Amino acid sequence: MLLNEPHPLEVKVLTRRYKYPQQDPIWLEQYVADEGYDAIRKALTMQPEEIIDEVKKSSLRGRGGAGFPTGLKWSFVDRKSPKPKYIVVNGDEGEPGTCKDRIIMGHEPHRLIEGCLVAGRAIGSNRGWVYIRGEYREYIDIMDRAIQEAYDKGYLGDNVLGSGWAFHLSTHTGAGSYECGEESALLESLEGKRGNPRLKPPFPATSGAFQAPTIVNNVETYSAVPEIILKGGEWFAGLGTPRNGGTRLVCLSGHLNRPGVYEVPLGMNMMTLINEVGGGVWKGRKLKAVIPGGSSSPILRADECDIPADYDSLAKAGSMLGSGATVVLDETADIVKVLARLMAFYAHESCGWCIPCREGTTWLKKIMARLDEGVGTKRDIDMVDQLAQGMMGRTFCALGDAAAMPAMSYVRKFREEFEAKIQSAQVFMPAPQTQPLVVL
Amino acid sequence: MTFSPELEAKFAKMIQNYPAGRQKGALIPMLLFAQDEVGSMTPELLEEVSKRLKVKRVEIEEVIGYYTMLTREPRGQHHVQICTNVSCMLTGGEELYQHACKKLGIGNKQKTADGQFSLEEVECLGACSWAPAMLIDYDFHFNVTPEKLDGLIESLKKTQ
């Protein structure tokens, strides 16, 4: 399987049952042997408000990217509504740099199931779906098997652990679309439609899947809940920094000696994360920059990275924690090329629903391709910045912002590299071949 | 049109996962799993899914046009997908893709003359910490080098 050898600075909460180098997923028997499903047993003795209060106390914030407080989100659901209430797990995981949810679905599927059960109990739900990207067929199969195990032993079904409460869960596969990671687009996809985002409000807590109140959270978010119920919200909050509770699965990738997915306390210094946990920049090279929270997060220069990796500290530094994906770029990395590749990605993945995103991402892609190929001009550099500013906050969903934020930050922080690429290309560019307008 | 007994059983169970009258929810999983068995979005497949889920053909066409994993063109017996997004790009994903093009003698979304392999350059596969990564059919391969790719292709050729 994929988890690395544990690092001494890791704090294992979500990955605590995993015994390196365990090959098989943790199936029901192993899960139950180590406090598995004790959290739902406890939650069944609690009032829904108590469960939500415990999650609020934990300072658990959404691990998908937005970082919204989870307990608060759950409290928005009107439990007295006559409509059914639904639980939806966002396991789409398409943000470049991000590969953490597969660790949970692939290694400890019952943790996610138990998190869904507790969430379902908290909002009075009887049904949930785990939305998994289509490429993750292996994890769909693992989740399906674990769900069947849970049904067979009475953890799921019409009478959960003899409580009289019914909760049903199933997987639902996507079929290749980054946009479906956006919660309202995901709900459209769950209903069998194109993954176009919905106008908000109403938010899913009011009108979500099949027009019923729904909470949508990331795989990692639900997976933290069993520990919060078992050990208390305050214990979980104490693992992180104020307002940034708990641990975080970070995906270290790029130019590192020891890339991998590690579980660390929220707020660990980013340089510690890179140099200690990730083993430092590879090939003895120097650090040039870090993408701290997935491809949509604004880039940080090396001299800006001596900060805690939590939601608030990164926001203060002009970036974001996002999905917790940390991509490291060494001194030889071509910043223009990286941005050109990212803009091609966002243009490809824009659903086309709104004009600022559809046209803006395509335009950015074309300009960046020019700059990367050395046939751009200094005016193109300014245009990237201006165009991204024009998109920011003006698109239907966050995909437009996700393209605009890196575009602005790369140009502003590494402008000299953009200019150098133009100049070096001009030096070596052959004189253009011209043809006479009239051949005599 | 009929599917294999295993797929029929999967579909029967799948339809029950959605609220009454909302069986259209099963559309995307049903299309993807059916495509894996049939090979592509054939007119017969669309007709069958349309009938089973009671959705209009145009609604299915909309979905097929949107999701990158659904295809009207039959792929090779083995579909090779190579990621060139940022983490893979930084660790050799683009070179790996170029190598695959040469090795197979085809370009993006093309198929070898014998129909054994098709190739696609794809966006993030969610395997960034083990980059560069690729999928052959649904099997992930991590930290792939050109030599490793050659070995995988050759071993698949031998199993034909």
Side-chain angles (χ1 to χ4, degrees):
Chain A
M1 299 299 274
L2 296 171
L3 271 177
N4 293 42
E5 190 173 351
H7 189 276
L9 291 177
E10 279 189 276
V11 174
K12 298 264 184 187
V13 177
L14 274 70
T15 54
R16 73 178 172 84
R17 289 189 183 87
Y18 180 83
K19 309 289 183 239
Y20 177 83
Q22 181 167 328
Q23 294 299 313
D24 293 324
I26 294 167
W27 297 116
L28 187 76
E29 194 179 339
Q30 188 183 347
Y31 186 69
V32 169
D34 187 4
E35 296 181 313
Y37 290 110
D38 284 359
I40 185 58
R41 283 182 206 282
K42 186 174 175 185
L44 286 168
T45 67
M46 297 164 74
Q47 292 300 313
E49 294 83 5
E50 289 179 274
I51 299 172
I52 292 174
D53 281 347
E54 211 60 54
V55 176
K56 280 183 181 172
K57 270 189 234 166
S58 74
S59 299
L60 175 67
R61 294 170 67 169
R63 304 304 201 219
F68 193 81
T70 305
L72 189 62
K73 186 185 248 189
W74 293 10
S75 70
F76 292 152
V77 174
D78 178 9
R79 290 195 304 277
K80 290 178 185 151
S81 165
K83 289 183 177 178
K85 291 97 192 161
Y86 296 130
I87 299 292
V88 174
V89 180
N90 186 343
D92 198 52
E93 190 154 67
E95 174 90 355
T98 314
C99 50
K100 65 190 176 60
D101 292 339
R102 66 187 300 158
I103 293 293
I104 296 168
M105 293 187 285
H107 288 106
E108 201 172 348
H110 284 286
R111 171 179 287 281
L112 177 57
I113 296 170
E114 189 172 13
C116 293
L117 278 160
V118 175
R121 185 69 180 167
I123 67 157
S125 169
N126 303 112
R127 153 61 68 186
W129 292 272
V130 185
Y131 185 105
I132 306 173
R133 65 184 302 189
E135 293 90 340
Y136 282 2
R137 176 63 61 85
E138 183 187 349
Y139 304 113
I140 298 168
D141 293 342
I142 290 172
M143 283 305 306
D144 279 341
R145 179 174 157 184
I147 287 170
Q148 189 57 51
E149 281 188 324
Y151 269 107
D152 292 344
K153 296 290 182 186
Y155 296 108
L156 289 170
D158 289 330
N159 185 15
V160 174
L161 292 170
S163 65
W165 170 58
F167 190 75
H168 295 270
L169 190 68
S170 53
T171 58
H172 175 103
T173 171
S177 165
Y178 168 71
E179 177 60 17
C180 288
E182 195 277 337
E183 65 176 4
S184 67
L186 184 150
L187 294 172
E188 288 286 291
S189 184
L190 182 67
E191 294 182 8
K193 294 179 262 182
R194 294 166 65 94
N196 293 331
R198 294 176 179 174
L199 185 68
K200 289 190 255 185
F203 289 94
T206 312
S207 178
F210 308 103
Q211 283 72 57
T214 304
I215 54 170
V216 185
N217 277 130
N218 180 256
V219 168
E220 189 185 347
T221 314
Y222 284 115
S223 299
V225 170
E227 238 66 29
I228 291 168
I229 297 300
L230 276 180
K231 295 178 181 161
E234 283 170 10
W235 169 83
F236 190 80
L239 296 171
T241 53
R243 294 188 354 104
N244 294 267
T247 58
R248 186 83 219 243
L249 291 177
V250 290
C251 332
L252 300 181
S253 69
H255 296 154
L256 275 172
N257 283 319
R258 207 168 44 236
V261 178
Y262 300 91
E263 185 171 7
V264 298
L266 256 175
M268 177 181 275
N269 185 286
M270 192 172 291
M271 291 312 295
T272 308
L273 197 59
I274 293 166
N275 290 329
E276 302 290 326
V277 181
V281 180
W282 73 353
K283 300 179 182 176
R285 292 179 187 161
K286 286 183 189 160
L287 179 70
K288 179 190 255 183
V290 174
I291 304 170
S295 64
S296 53
S297 57
I299 198 165
L300 296 175
R301 290 192 315 262
D303 60 3
E304 297 174 303
C305 292
D306 189 12
I307 52 169
D310 63 38
Y311 295 95
D312 296 332
S313 304
L314 277 160
K316 204 173 160 190
S319 188
M320 52 197 263
L321 184 62
S323 61
T326 305
V327 186
V328 171
L329 281 71
D330 74 18
E331 58 189 321
T332 68
D334 183 339
I335 293 288
V336 182
K337 193 176 175 61
V338 170
L339 185 60
R341 181 65 188 87
L342 287 180
M343 292 304 105
F345 166 72
Y346 286 107
H348 182 265
E349 297 298 329
S350 172
C351 76
W353 187 245
C354 71
I355 296 166
C357 179
R358 184 181 65 224
E359 302 301 320
T361 53
T362 306
W363 201 355
L364 284 171
K365 172 192 160 181
K366 288 179 179 171
I367 301 170
M368 283 310 305
R370 278 207 298 271
L371 287 166
D372 185 37
E373 286 162 15
V375 291
T377 63
K378 285 190 178 177
R379 200 166 157 243
D380 282 331
I381 306 174
D382 294 327
M383 206 189 296
V384 169
D385 195 12
Q386 287 164 13
L387 186 54
Q389 279 185 62
M391 289 166 66
M392 194 70 198
R394 293 184 176 88
T395 53
F396 209 83
C397 77
L399 194 142
D401 291 353
M405 287 186 294
M408 287 188 286
S409 71
Y410 284 54
V411 166
R412 290 176 190 180
K413 292 185 178 176
F414 292 96
R415 190 179 177 93
E416 69 283 0
E417 289 210 18
F418 287 74
E419 290 178 348
K421 198 152 194 174
I422 293 168
Q423 280 165 2
S424 65
Q426 282 168 349
V427 169
F428 297 108
M429 197 184 297
Q433 298 279 326
T434 54
Q435 297 287 328
L437 289 174
V438 180
V439 179
L440 296 173
Chain B
M1 185 179 189
T2 54
F3 300 108
S4 67
E6 295 77 26
L7 198 56
E8 288 290 358
K10 195 176 185 78
F11 286 163
K13 198 173 169 189
M14 189 186 283
I15 289 173
Q16 293 171 4
N17 291 337
Y18 301 89
R22 301 284 197 159
Q23 281 77 10
K24 188 185 172 188
L27 178 61
I28 294 157
M30 194 178 266
L31 288 174
L32 189 61
F33 286 111
Q35 175 180 276
D36 290 344
E37 189 163 292
V38 176
S40 64
M41 294 283 114
T42 62
E44 295 78 23
L45 191 156
L46 300 198
E47 196 58 44
E48 186 63 29
V49 172
S50 165
K51 201 167 62 186
R52 288 182 187 220
L53 295 181
K54 298 183 178 61
V55 295
K56 293 174 188 160
R57 276 286 293 271
V58 68
E59 294 175 85
I60 303 180
E61 300 280 355
E62 281 175 357
V63 163
I64 294 170
Y66 181 82
Y67 293 93
T68 57
M69 291 178 74
L70 302 177
T71 177
R72 294 173 205 274
E73 294 296 319
R75 289 170 173 152
Q77 285 167 281
H78 298 292
H79 187 52
V80 179
Q81 300 179 66
I82 299 179
C83 176
T84 57
N85 211 309
V86 60
S87 298
C88 287
M89 186 187 91
L90 292 171
T91 49
E94 288 190 328
E95 293 77 10
L96 186 71
Y97 172 70
Q98 293 303 330
H99 180 81
C101 288
K102 273 190 202 160
K103 172 82 182 168
L104 297 170
I106 53 177
N108 191 29
K109 297 188 179 177
Q110 291 180 350
K111 194 164 60 169
T112 53
D114 61 5
Q116 276 197 342
F117 295 96
S118 49
L119 178 66
E120 191 173 359
E121 183 185 8
V122 292
E123 298 299 349
C124 187
L125 288 173
C128 316
S129 291
W130 314 279
M134 62 186 275
L135 271 176
I136 299 183
D137 304 325
Y138 284 111
D139 293 331
F140 270 98
H141 300 277
F142 307 107
N143 302 313
V144 186
T145 58
E147 295 73 33
K148 194 170 170 183
L149 175 89
D150 288 348
L152 287 164
I153 300 289
E154 292 305 324
S155 66
L156 285 169
K157 278 182 182 171
K158 280 180 195 161
T159 56
Q160 296 298 316

